[in-house]
Amino acid sequence: DADAYAAWRGARLPSADEWEKAVRGLDGRCFPWGDQPQAGRAATAELGISAPLPPRALGALGEAGLYAAIGGVFECTSSHWRDREDRGRVVMGGSFTHPLATARPALRLSHRLSG
């Protein structure tokens, strides 16, 4: 669905490397706002929420001015896990159920798409 939506918009999903670069910035910081975790800057477990917040609820972060890149919901990329299509896609950014310490831009997980 993410691929179809991006194509409908005349775009494409970023690769995992592109996504990480956009979120971490040109200087490679650990988080969009800098190198130190800061509770309340992302929709993560520290907020104690039971569902994702609206994407713009916490404002834009980082050089690229991205909304909700950390926490909220996982971001699907065009990259396959370890370059194997059978292993699913790389998802990034953590979610509202993850603590901020693990919802960092460098975290890459596999999510086998179920259709």
Side-chain angles (χ1 to χ4, degrees), residues 11-66:
R12 64 175 176 79
L13 294 177
S15 70
D17 290 340
E18 291 168 334
W19 186 94
E20 184 176 347
K21 185 67 166 183
V23 176
R24 293 181 69 180
L26 296 174
D27 59 1
R29 61 190 72 151
C30 293
F31 295 96
W33 54 82
D35 286 330
Q36 300 303 316
Q38 295 177 5
R41 299 291 301 251
T44 55
E46 289 80 4
L47 291 183
I49 55 178
S50 59
L53 296 173
R56 296 179 182 229
L58 299 175
L61 298 171
E63 293 172 349
L66 300 175

Side-chain angles (χ1 to χ4, degrees), residues 9 12 18-20 23 31-32 34-35 37 56 61 68 74-75 80-81 84 88-91 93 101-102 104 109-110:
R9 298 282 299 174
R12 64 175 176 79
E18 291 168 334
W19 186 94
E20 184 176 347
V23 176
F31 295 96
D35 286 330
R56 296 179 182 229
L61 298 171
F74 282 104
E75 304 281 338
H80 294 283
W81 182 251
R84 290 181 46 190
R89 296 281 185 92
V90 174
V91 294
T102 61
R104 63 192 190 283
L109 297 174
S110 170

Side-chain angles (χ1 to χ4, degrees), residues 84-110:
R84 290 181 46 190
E85 286 189 42
D86 64 320
R87 301 290 300 272
R89 296 281 185 92
V90 174
V91 294
M92 302 180 77
S95 78
F96 67 95
T97 61
H98 281 164
L100 183 56
T102 61
R104 63 192 190 283
L107 176 69
R108 296 176 186 217
L109 297 174
S110 170

